[in-house]
């Protein structure tokens, strides 16, 4: 077990305060209309401190996206080896709570902001590419020998992530009324026809 120090807890508290303040401003004013200086003024930290926690303004919203990819990869690695790749990915998404919205209102607001803000969407796609790097070897190991397993695994993972994005957009259009997991299943069924 890794012990957290008082310094670690303090750093996490500051990071969380910056994140919450920034997101509140983004949702009130819009992402592009909110400046880093406005966030700094509200939180009372220096520009240098901000960039110690976040590489870009987009990372305030998407900062945990890479760690969510790691959680999916860990869930996928725990799936039974004989499980079909698409089923294993779905189960890993479910376990990592990628296909279930926990807090409907904030998830709706953040999702709309993400898909409506080009710079956020671009950074989201960039971070999602890291998910592919994590997931492709795990899917390739599940495929039968013969053929180009790496190519097949890339195609499956890229398709699954596209299905996740399509389901997320449909969920937003439904104002959170549709079941995200059902929408994901519908998107996968369309791809696998």
């Amino acid at each position: 077990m890794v012990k957290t120090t008082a310094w670690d807890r303090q750093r996490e508290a500051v990071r969380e305060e910056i994140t919450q303040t920034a997101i509140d401003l983004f949702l009130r004013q819009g992402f592009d209309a909110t400046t880093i200086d406005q966030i700094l003024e509200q939180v009372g930290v220096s520009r240098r401190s901000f960039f110690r926690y976040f590489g870009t303004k987009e990372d305030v919203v998407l900062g945990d996206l890479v760690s969510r990819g790691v959680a999916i990869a860990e869930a996928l690695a725990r799936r039974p080896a004989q499980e079909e790749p698409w089923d294993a990915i779905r189960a890993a998404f479910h376990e990592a709570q990628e296909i279930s919205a926990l807090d409907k209102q904030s998830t709706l607001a953040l999702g709309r902001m993400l898909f409506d803000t080009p710079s956020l969407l671009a950074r989201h796609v960039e971070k999602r590419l890291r998910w592919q790097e994590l997931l492709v070897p795990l899917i390739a190991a599940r495929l039968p020998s013969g053929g180009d397993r790496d190519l097949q695994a890339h195609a499956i993972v890229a398709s699954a992530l596209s299905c996740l994005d399509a389901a997320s957009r449909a969920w937003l259009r439904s104002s959170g009324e549709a079941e995200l997991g059902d929408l994901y299943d519908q998107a996968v069924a369309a791809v696998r026809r």
Side-chain angles (χ1 to χ4, degrees), residues 48-176:
R48 182 175 169 187
S49 291
F50 178 88
F51 287 109
R52 200 175 299 136
Y53 294 100
F54 303 100
T56 65
K57 186 170 83 167
E58 289 79 7
D59 288 339
V60 176
V61 177
L62 302 172
D64 72 336
L65 198 59
V66 173
S67 63
R68 286 174 33 209
V70 170
I72 293 166
E74 289 170 351
L76 183 58
R78 288 190 296 272
R79 301 301 306 164
Q82 69 281 6
E83 189 172 37
E84 194 270 332
W86 284 96
D87 293 338
I89 289 173
R90 189 201 192 287
F93 281 167
H94 181 71
E95 183 179 327
Q97 299 180 330
E98 283 302 312
I99 54 175
S100 60
L102 299 177
D103 180 351
K104 183 176 166 181
Q105 292 307 355
S106 66
T107 304
L108 279 169
L110 288 171
R112 287 181 178 126
M113 184 174 62
L114 169 71
F115 287 114
D116 291 343
T117 309
S119 64
L120 264 177
L121 189 56
R123 188 77 168 146
H124 178 260
V125 169
E126 178 186 327
K127 287 184 178 241
R128 277 282 188 85
L129 289 174
R130 292 193 190 159
W131 288 19
Q132 286 188 37
E133 294 169 12
L134 296 168
L135 301 178
V136 164
L138 297 169
I139 292 301
R142 293 175 174 278
L143 298 172
S145 56
D148 189 338
R149 289 168 40 165
D150 189 59
L151 170 69
Q152 294 169 19
H154 269 91
I156 291 169
V157 170
S159 296
L161 293 174
S162 291
C163 289
L164 182 59
D165 285 340
S168 296
R169 286 176 186 265
W171 184 79
L172 290 171
R173 283 192 308 273
S174 79
S175 295

